[in-house]
Amino acid sequence: MTKTQSARRRELILRSAVQQRLLEPDHAVLAGFVDLDGVLASITNLHGAFPASLNVMHTVAAKANCLVPVLEAFSRNGMGCEVASPGELAQALAAGFAPERIVYDSPSKTRAELAQAVELGVAVNADNFQELERMDSILAGRASDSRIGVRINPQVGSGDIAEMSTATLTSKFGIALEDDGNRRRLVQAFQDRPWLTWLHAHVGSQGCPQELMAEGITKTVALAEEINASLGRRQVVGIDIGGGLPVNFTSDDTAPTFDEYVERLRAYAPALFSGAYQIITEFGRSLLAKNGFTAAYVEYTKTSGGRRIAITHAGAQVAARTVFMPDSWPIRITAHNPSGHLKEGATAPQDIAGPCCFAGDVVAQARLLPVLEPGDIVTLLDTGAYYFSTPFHYNSLPDPAVYAVRTNPDGEVKFDLVRRAESIQELLDRTGAHQM
């Protein structure tokens, strides 16, 4: 099988990690890798997809990879940051994002969180009418540089993964646009609040087709036009179109591309490209997933019921979505020998299991791979978003090390530590031992 350029690059990174002992069988059995060269290419593609004539601020969704040095790479390369918690806000600020380049989205912001955002000048998208009323009291008698918007749910339906679909009839996010009386209440909300100048909709996520996403943005743009016409002034000046572009987890191909999505938006919502509105985007997975992978050693192998099983150090603690929803979140896995070279030879169906103490801790079932042996390495591909960056602390497994990777023109691989491997003492401190 011919290796893709991406596969060759991953193998080079893995071999270099083994040579530099960032992976080794006794003390560094699991690690995550973020390819910063790939991240920069994704950022470039995103910026190039939107016409230069438009006023667009692209933000990265911090939830996709909240590690501060990774976020700092986005800040350094012209991106803003979308956050959805006090922790993510703190991480964005620590990464160097200016407050005016941060957008705060969350369905459960407290008064203190809203007041902090307004004080800093962070953009806020209110989730519901009650939050708008809360903003009335927070903004009363004070000036703020914050851009204030309201999130709507255009109620366009579900994608293939219901749990990830944010614009269903009964979604918890935003103001349900088609519910009785809500359109009228939204127009009135803008009439009563001159400081309310943005609309926000986040329709997409994994499993959502581009047509569904574009339909939701079309309804959002139409609402902006309706509000401005009803008020007789251009009060809605910006539209936050969210992110949610799905990722291809079946091969190294990037599909859909940002260019393809922009063309779909242009066909569905031409007014978005008229220059009348500022635009904010909030992509995360599509910027990061394919630019990262997880590497783990095989500790033991066995056969059970005629099925080969490889017990590895990568399971639910770094691949929770895949373990708990394997049909919705299947990921690719490659097999490597202890040096990091791609393993060759006879293949067989094998379960790739993790270290967690429950039966379902399996990241792939009956996957056809070269026969694995103890000391081999498996890689979980396309895991640069949501996987190793936000570990699940089941069984008190320590957080793995994460490295940022760059290569120079000579092909030399350079690693920078993003998050060190959690020590047992740090784990004890995190679980309250220091209180004894």
Side-chain angles (χ1 to χ4, degrees):
M1 180 181 295
T2 301
K3 295 180 187 177
T4 66
Q5 183 177 353
S6 297
R8 290 193 293 271
R9 181 172 174 79
R10 283 193 301 268
E11 185 175 351
L12 174 63
I13 292 170
L14 186 61
R15 285 170 20 220
S16 299
V18 172
Q19 291 166 4
Q20 297 184 38
R21 300 183 67 80
L22 307 183
L23 288 166
E24 63 94 19
D26 290 326
H27 304 294
V29 295
L30 174 67
F33 299 90
V34 181
D35 184 349
L36 290 188
D37 294 326
V39 168
L40 179 57
S42 294
I43 292 172
T44 300
N45 291 338
L46 173 58
H47 280 86
F50 284 78
S53 59
L54 297 181
N55 184 347
V56 185
M57 183 175 78
H58 296 293
T59 70
V60 58
K63 67 181 75 66
N65 191 315
C66 60
L67 299 174
V68 173
V70 175
L71 293 178
E72 193 274 335
F74 281 94
S75 175
R76 192 172 62 248
N77 286 283
M79 295 285 289
C81 191
E82 183 267 339
V83 303
S85 73
E88 288 182 358
L89 175 59
Q91 288 163 333
L93 292 169
F97 290 98
E100 64 270 18
R101 298 190 65 79
I102 299 174
V103 180
Y104 202 160
D105 299 323
S106 166
S108 59
K109 308 179 201 72
T110 67
R111 291 181 185 276
E113 292 165 26
L114 290 169
Q116 180 191 19
V118 167
E119 182 70 26
L120 290 171
V122 167
V124 176
N125 286 319
D127 180 79
N128 52 68
F129 289 118
Q130 291 175 355
E131 188 173 339
L132 283 176
E133 293 173 358
R134 185 171 288 183
M135 290 296 293
D136 288 335
S137 61
I138 291 172
L139 289 169
R142 74 190 302 175
S144 174
D145 293 328
S146 295
R147 301 181 304 279
I148 311 297
V150 62
R151 179 170 183 168
I152 67 162
N153 171 13
Q155 295 177 294
V156 291
S158 174
D160 293 337
I161 307 175
E163 294 83 357
M164 300 302 297
S165 297
T166 58
T168 61
L169 189 66
T170 58
S171 172
K172 75 174 188 177
F173 293 106
I175 295 172
L177 183 60
E178 304 300 342
D179 278 19
D180 187 42
N182 276 356
R183 186 179 293 270
R184 173 186 52 79
R185 290 183 67 189
L186 279 164
V187 173
Q188 189 63 49
F190 279 83
Q191 175 74 58
D192 296 341
R193 299 171 176 86
W195 43 261
L196 188 59
T197 57
W198 281 71
L199 282 174
H200 173 221
H202 178 93
V203 177
S205 195
Q206 193 65 22
C208 287
Q210 293 180 72
E211 292 81 3
L212 189 75
M213 297 168 62
E215 183 182 348
I217 300 307
T218 298
K219 293 179 71 172
T220 307
V221 174
L223 178 62
E225 300 274 273
E226 178 182 342
I227 291 169
N228 287 341
S230 297
L231 272 55
R233 61 179 183 268
R234 200 148 195 87
Q235 183 165 324
V236 181
V237 299
I239 297 176
D240 183 335
I241 67 172
L245 192 67
V247 168
N248 166 34
F249 286 99
T250 64
S251 75
D252 281 335
D253 294 336
T254 297
T257 65
F258 293 121
D259 284 333
E260 291 167 346
Y261 181 47
V262 168
E263 286 307 305
R264 192 64 52 90
L265 286 175
R266 198 188 282 273
Y268 274 70
L272 184 67
F273 297 86
S274 66
Y277 297 101
Q278 300 171 54
I279 301 171
I280 287 176
T281 72
E282 302 175 354
F283 295 103
R285 182 182 296 108
S286 51
L287 288 165
L288 282 153
K290 301 194 83 62
N291 295 316
F293 68 90
T294 308
Y297 277 96
V298 176
E299 193 66 39
Y300 299 109
T301 58
K302 63 177 74 172
T303 300
S304 183
R307 175 80 58 79
R308 291 179 181 271
I309 303 171
I311 308 296
T312 80
H313 289 278
Q317 88 278 28
V318 289
R321 294 186 183 202
T322 294
V323 167
F324 291 115
M325 298 178 65
D327 293 335
S328 297
W329 295 97
I331 54 175
R332 296 180 293 148
I333 294 174
T334 57
H336 301 258
N337 63 32
S339 70
H341 287 85
L342 200 64
K343 190 161 190 177
E344 299 178 347
T347 61
Q350 296 161 86
D351 287 358
I352 310 302
C356 297
C357 197
F358 66 95
D361 185 34
V362 177
V363 297
Q365 291 188 344
R367 191 66 60 87
L368 192 64
L369 291 167
V371 175
L372 290 162
E373 302 292 345
D376 285 341
I377 300 170
V378 295
T379 64
L380 283 57
L381 306 188
D382 306 327
T383 52
Y386 296 106
Y387 280 76
F388 54 75
S389 60
T390 47
F392 174 38
H393 290 143
Y394 195 88
N395 279 149
S396 293
L397 289 162
D399 295 349
V402 177
Y403 298 92
V405 186
R406 299 294 300 263
T407 55
N408 64 25
D410 297 328
E412 180 185 7
V413 180
K414 183 178 184 299
F415 296 95
D416 287 314
L417 183 65
V418 169
R419 181 184 68 205
R420 69 181 181 184
E422 186 177 36
S423 70
I424 294 300
Q425 184 58 55
E426 288 168 333
L427 187 151
L428 286 172
D429 291 344
R430 171 165 59 78
T431 54
H434 62 288
Q435 302 293 342
M436 302 291 289

Coordinates of all heavy atoms in Angstrom, one line a residue, residues 252-297:
D252 N -6.8 9.9 5.1 CA -6.0 11.1 5.3 C -6.6 12.3 4.5 O -6.1 13.4 4.7 CB -4.6 10.9 4.9 CG -3.8 10.1 5.9 OD1 -4.1 10.2 7.1 OD2 -2.8 9.5 5.6
D253 N -7.6 12.1 3.7 CA -8.1 13.2 2.9 C -8.9 14.2 3.8 O -9.6 13.7 4.7 CB -9.1 12.7 1.9 CG -8.4 11.9 0.8 OD1 -7.2 12.1 0.6 OD2 -9.0 11.0 0.2
T254 N -8.7 15.5 3.6 CA -9.5 16.5 4.3 C -10.8 16.8 3.5 O -10.7 17.3 2.4 CB -8.7 17.8 4.4 OG1 -7.5 17.5 5.2 CG2 -9.5 18.9 5.1
A255 N -11.9 16.4 4.1 CA -13.2 16.6 3.4 C -14.3 16.6 4.5 O -14.3 15.8 5.4 CB -13.4 15.4 2.5
P256 N -15.2 17.6 4.4 CA -15.2 18.7 3.4 C -14.1 19.7 3.7 O -13.6 19.8 4.8 CB -16.6 19.3 3.5 CG -16.9 19.0 4.9 CD -16.3 17.7 5.3
T257 N -13.8 20.6 2.7 CA -12.8 21.6 3.0 C -13.5 22.9 3.3 O -14.7 23.1 3.1 CB -12.0 21.9 1.7 OG1 -12.8 22.4 0.7 CG2 -11.3 20.6 1.2
F258 N -12.8 23.9 3.9 CA -13.3 25.2 4.1 C -13.8 25.8 2.9 O -14.9 26.5 2.9 CB -12.3 26.0 4.9 CG -11.9 25.6 6.2 CD1 -10.6 25.3 6.6 CD2 -12.9 25.4 7.2 CE1 -10.3 24.8 7.8 CE2 -12.6 25.0 8.5 CZ -11.3 24.7 8.8
D259 N -13.1 25.7 1.8 CA -13.5 26.3 0.5 C -14.9 25.7 0.1 O -15.7 26.5 -0.4 CB -12.5 25.9 -0.6 CG -11.2 26.8 -0.5 OD1 -11.3 27.9 0.0 OD2 -10.2 26.3 -1.0
E260 N -15.1 24.4 0.2 CA -16.4 23.8 -0.1 C -17.5 24.4 0.7 O -18.6 24.6 0.2 CB -16.3 22.3 0.0 CG -15.4 21.7 -1.1 CD -15.0 20.2 -0.8 OE1 -15.3 19.8 0.4 OE2 -14.5 19.5 -1.7
Y261 N -17.2 24.5 2.0 CA -18.3 25.0 2.9 C -18.6 26.5 2.6 O -19.8 26.8 2.6 CB -17.8 24.9 4.4 CG -18.9 25.3 5.4 CD1 -20.2 25.0 5.2 CD2 -18.5 26.2 6.4 CE1 -21.2 25.4 6.2 CE2 -19.4 26.6 7.3 CZ -20.8 26.2 7.2 OH -21.7 26.6 8.1
V262 N -17.6 27.3 2.3 CA -17.9 28.7 2.0 C -18.7 28.8 0.7 O -19.6 29.6 0.6 CB -16.6 29.5 1.9 CG1 -16.8 30.8 1.3 CG2 -15.9 29.6 3.3
E263 N -18.4 27.9 -0.3 CA -19.2 28.0 -1.5 C -20.6 27.6 -1.2 O -21.6 28.1 -1.8 CB -18.6 27.0 -2.5 CG -17.3 27.6 -3.2 CD -17.5 29.0 -3.7 OE1 -18.5 29.2 -4.6 OE2 -16.8 29.9 -3.3
R264 N -20.8 26.6 -0.3 CA -22.2 26.2 0.1 C -22.9 27.4 0.8 O -24.1 27.7 0.5 CB -22.1 25.0 1.0 CG -23.4 24.3 1.2 CD -24.0 23.7 -0.1 NE -23.1 22.8 -0.7 CZ -22.9 21.5 -0.5 NH1 -23.7 20.9 0.4 NH2 -22.1 20.8 -1.2
L265 N -22.2 28.0 1.7 CA -22.8 29.2 2.3 C -23.2 30.3 1.3 O -24.2 30.9 1.4 CB -21.9 29.7 3.4 CG -21.7 29.0 4.7 CD1 -20.6 29.6 5.5 CD2 -23.0 28.9 5.4
R266 N -22.3 30.5 0.4 CA -22.5 31.6 -0.6 C -23.8 31.3 -1.4 O -24.5 32.2 -1.8 CB -21.3 31.7 -1.5 CG -21.2 32.9 -2.3 CD -20.0 32.8 -3.3 NE -18.7 33.0 -2.7 CZ -18.1 34.1 -2.6 NH1 -18.7 35.3 -2.9 NH2 -16.9 34.2 -2.1
A267 N -24.0 30.0 -1.7 CA -25.2 29.6 -2.5 C -26.5 29.8 -1.7 O -27.5 30.2 -2.2 CB -25.0 28.2 -3.0
Y268 N -26.4 29.4 -0.4 CA -27.6 29.4 0.5 C -27.9 30.8 1.1 O -29.0 31.2 1.2 CB -27.4 28.4 1.6 CG -27.8 27.0 1.3 CD1 -27.0 26.2 0.5 CD2 -28.9 26.4 1.9 CE1 -27.4 24.9 0.2 CE2 -29.2 25.1 1.7 CZ -28.5 24.4 0.8 OH -28.8 23.1 0.5
A269 N -26.8 31.5 1.5 CA -27.0 32.8 2.2 C -26.1 33.9 1.5 O -25.2 34.4 2.1 CB -26.7 32.6 3.6
P270 N -26.4 34.3 0.3 CA -25.6 35.3 -0.4 C -25.5 36.6 0.4 O -24.4 37.3 0.3 CB -26.3 35.5 -1.7 CG -27.7 35.0 -1.5 CD -27.6 33.9 -0.5
A271 N -26.5 37.0 1.2 CA -26.4 38.3 1.9 C -25.3 38.3 3.0 O -24.8 39.3 3.3 CB -27.7 38.5 2.7
L272 N -24.8 37.1 3.4 CA -23.7 37.0 4.3 C -22.5 37.5 3.7 O -21.5 38.0 4.4 CB -23.6 35.5 4.8 CG -22.5 35.2 5.8 CD1 -22.9 35.8 7.2 CD2 -22.3 33.7 6.0
F273 N -22.4 37.5 2.4 CA -21.2 37.9 1.7 C -21.3 39.2 1.0 O -20.5 39.6 0.2 CB -20.8 36.8 0.6 CG -20.5 35.5 1.2 CD1 -21.5 34.5 1.5 CD2 -19.2 35.1 1.5 CE1 -21.2 33.3 2.1 CE2 -18.9 33.9 2.1 CZ -19.9 33.0 2.4
S274 N -22.4 39.9 1.4 CA -22.6 41.2 0.8 C -21.7 42.3 1.3 O -21.6 43.4 0.7 CB -24.1 41.6 1.0 OG -24.3 41.9 2.4
G275 N -21.0 42.1 2.4 CA -20.2 43.1 3.1 C -21.0 43.9 4.1 O -20.5 44.7 4.8
A276 N -22.3 43.6 4.2 CA -23.1 44.3 5.2 C -22.9 43.9 6.6 O -23.3 44.6 7.6 CB -24.6 44.2 4.8
Y277 N -22.4 42.7 6.8 CA -22.2 42.1 8.1 C -20.8 41.7 8.4 O -20.1 41.2 7.5 CB -23.1 40.8 8.3 CG -24.6 41.1 8.1 CD1 -25.2 40.8 6.9 CD2 -25.3 41.6 9.2 CE1 -26.6 41.0 6.8 CE2 -26.7 41.9 9.1 CZ -27.3 41.6 7.9 OH -28.6 41.8 7.7
Q278 N -20.3 42.0 9.6 CA -19.1 41.4 10.1 C -19.4 39.9 10.4 O -20.6 39.5 10.7 CB -18.7 42.1 11.4 CG -18.4 43.6 11.3 CD -18.2 44.2 12.6 OE1 -17.3 43.8 13.4 NE2 -18.9 45.3 12.9
I279 N -18.4 39.1 10.3 CA -18.6 37.6 10.5 C -17.6 37.1 11.5 O -16.4 37.5 11.6 CB -18.4 36.9 9.2 CG1 -19.4 37.4 8.1 CG2 -18.6 35.4 9.3 CD1 -19.1 36.9 6.7
I280 N -18.1 36.2 12.4 CA -17.2 35.4 13.3 C -17.4 33.9 13.0 O -18.5 33.5 12.7 CB -17.5 35.7 14.7 CG1 -17.0 37.1 15.1 CG2 -16.9 34.7 15.7 CD1 -17.3 37.5 16.5
T281 N -16.3 33.2 12.9 CA -16.4 31.7 12.8 C -15.8 31.1 14.1 O -15.0 31.7 14.8 CB -15.7 31.2 11.6 OG1 -14.2 31.3 11.8 CG2 -16.0 31.9 10.4
E282 N -16.2 29.9 14.4 CA -15.8 29.2 15.6 C -15.4 27.7 15.3 O -16.0 26.8 16.0 CB -16.9 29.2 16.7 CG -17.4 30.6 17.1 CD -18.6 30.6 18.0 OE1 -19.1 29.5 18.2 OE2 -19.0 31.6 18.5
F283 N -14.6 27.5 14.4 CA -14.2 26.1 14.0 C -13.2 25.6 15.1 O -12.4 26.3 15.7 CB -13.6 26.1 12.7 CG -14.5 26.5 11.6 CD1 -14.4 27.7 11.0 CD2 -15.5 25.6 11.1 CE1 -15.3 28.1 10.0 CE2 -16.4 25.9 10.1 CZ -16.3 27.2 9.5
G284 N -13.3 24.3 15.3 CA -12.4 23.6 16.3 C -11.9 22.3 15.7 O -10.7 22.2 15.3
R285 N -12.8 21.3 15.7 CA -12.4 20.0 15.2 C -11.8 20.0 13.8 O -10.8 19.3 13.6 CB -13.6 19.0 15.3 CG -13.3 17.6 14.8 CD -14.5 16.7 14.8 NE -15.1 16.6 16.2 CZ -16.2 17.2 16.6 NH1 -16.9 17.9 15.7 NH2 -16.6 17.0 17.8
S286 N -12.3 20.8 12.9 CA -11.9 20.8 11.6 C -10.5 21.4 11.4 O -9.8 21.2 10.4 CB -12.9 21.5 10.7 OG -13.2 22.8 11.2
L287 N -10.1 22.2 12.4 CA -8.7 22.8 12.4 C -7.7 21.9 13.1 O -6.5 22.0 12.8 CB -8.7 24.1 13.2 CG -9.4 25.3 12.5 CD1 -9.7 26.4 13.5 CD2 -8.6 25.8 11.3
L288 N -8.1 21.0 14.0 CA -7.2 20.3 14.8 C -7.2 18.8 14.7 O -6.1 18.1 14.9 CB -7.5 20.6 16.3 CG -7.0 22.0 16.7 CD1 -7.8 22.5 17.9 CD2 -5.5 21.9 17.2
A289 N -8.3 18.1 14.4 CA -8.4 16.7 14.5 C -7.3 16.0 13.7 O -6.6 15.1 14.2 CB -9.8 16.2 14.1
K290 N -7.2 16.3 12.4 CA -6.3 15.6 11.6 C -4.8 16.0 11.8 O -3.9 15.4 11.1 CB -6.7 15.8 10.1 CG -8.1 15.3 9.8 CD -8.4 15.1 8.3 CE -7.9 13.8 7.8 NZ -8.6 12.6 8.4
N291 N -4.6 17.0 12.6 CA -3.3 17.4 12.9 C -2.8 16.9 14.3 O -1.9 17.5 14.9 CB -3.2 19.0 12.9 CG -3.5 19.5 11.5 OD1 -3.0 19.0 10.5 ND2 -4.4 20.5 11.4
G292 N -3.3 15.8 14.7 CA -2.8 15.2 15.9 C -3.0 13.7 15.9 O -3.9 13.2 15.3
F293 N -2.2 13.0 16.7 CA -2.4 11.5 16.9 C -1.9 11.1 18.3 O -1.2 11.9 18.9 CB -1.7 10.7 15.8 CG -0.2 10.7 15.8 CD1 0.5 9.8 16.6 CD2 0.5 11.7 15.1 CE1 1.9 9.8 16.6 CE2 1.9 11.7 15.1 CZ 2.6 10.7 15.9
T294 N -2.4 10.0 18.7 CA -2.1 9.4 20.0 C -1.3 8.2 19.8 O -1.6 7.4 18.9 CB -3.4 9.1 20.8 OG1 -4.2 10.2 20.8 CG2 -3.0 8.6 22.2
A295 N -0.2 8.0 20.6 CA 0.6 6.8 20.5 C 0.7 6.1 21.8 O 0.8 6.7 22.8 CB 2.1 7.2 20.0
A296 N 0.5 4.8 21.7 CA 0.5 4.0 23.0 C 1.2 2.6 22.7 O 1.1 2.0 21.6 CB -0.9 3.8 23.4
Y297 N 1.8 2.1 23.8 CA 2.5 0.8 23.7 C 1.4 -0.3 23.9 O 0.5 -0.1 24.6 CB 3.6 0.7 24.7 CG 4.9 1.3 24.3 CD1 5.2 2.6 24.7 CD2 5.7 0.5 23.5 CE1 6.4 3.1 24.3 CE2 7.0 1.1 23.1 CZ 7.3 2.4 23.5 OH 8.5 2.9 23.0

